[in-house]
Amino acid sequence: MSLSGARKRGRKFQNPIPTDEAGFGKMIPILKEYRNNTAENTPKKQFGPFKTDISVYQTPPASGLRITWIGHSSILIEIDGKRILTDPVWSERASFLSFFGPKRFYAPPLALEDLPPLDLVIISHDHYDHLDKATMKFFANKSIPFYCSLGVGQYLQKWGMPANFITEMDWGDSVMLGNDCVLTATPARHFSGRGIIGRNETLWSSFVIKGTEHNIFYGADSGWWDGFAAIGDAYGPFDLTMLEIGAYGKYWPDIHMGPRHAADAHLALKGKLMMPIHWGTFNLAPHAWYEPIERLMTYAKEDGIQLFAPAPGEPTEVVKAYVSGWWEKYR
């Protein structure tokens, strides 16, 4: 199975295998599902506030690998001397409007101004819950390198990012970060677009980050496909896999995994520890906000998967299984 070179049909990128992307044909049943839904999509109790102790960043992680989960798919990764931020979304809503759309369950635990110096930022694809205009404008004049999927750089430039700080990546592309870290873009099964038109005209990706001592996988958004095993064979095993477990639904099983398939992906990737992401931050699907993590806990026990689930904003070294259980008091 090829892991390089995304295919295009005309202007539109193609998924690695045939995929139902839950387009306009699914709109009516999806709307009916939301209308009849009774699950606790939005927490009844107010989360947090979560606050990051920024003094932690004055000392490098003793293990070489430390994770701070900002929320959703925004992760501050400290790996073997590099600081990497993935899909940073600091806005109150994952939307093209500031007053309408999915709203955060809690404020980011770390202010943008309080971030430690970054070596790079990764943007996996152009959806609003992964590519946030206001956050990007904050970074526009910070001289931080951005690595993104093909076509996504146009948005960064539009919002003030100098072109020489943007590197677009195709599936299979690798770049050296300094002389001791390698970033590789790998395929994902998803889609792209920020409006009614222009769907799939930019690429979506997952990423392998290999430092001097650690090897980790950032899955971003993807439905299940057998390519996870191919990625594991080519680039694994992984000390940590960061995989989406939320925002799944019966009408779009091909483009979001949910906890069952995320557990399967972790095993296929040859992962040691699994970090659940893309849950507990926005209401993006008809399931209860806590359902993804509770189901994953069950599957992990059944399958012998070691979980790494720190609380939002909690800088945590990746040395062993750790389940903070932060969500339990908000049930």
Side-chain angles (χ1 to χ4, degrees), residues 1 4 12 18 48 86 124 137 171 182 196 212 236 249-250 265 271 292 295 297 319 327:
M1 176 182 292
S4 61
K12 298 187 180 297
T86 65
S124 64
K137 285 192 168 185
W171 295 342
V182 181
I196 297 175
T212 54
K250 66 179 180 180
R295 288 190 175 184
M297 295 280 286
V319 292
W327 58 89

Side-chain angles (χ1 to χ4, degrees), residues 82 119-120 145 147 175-183:
K82 293 286 189 292
D119 291 287
L120 65 142
Y147 294 84
V175 294
M176 288 294 299
L177 309 173
N179 57 8
D180 53 4
C181 188
V182 181
L183 177 69

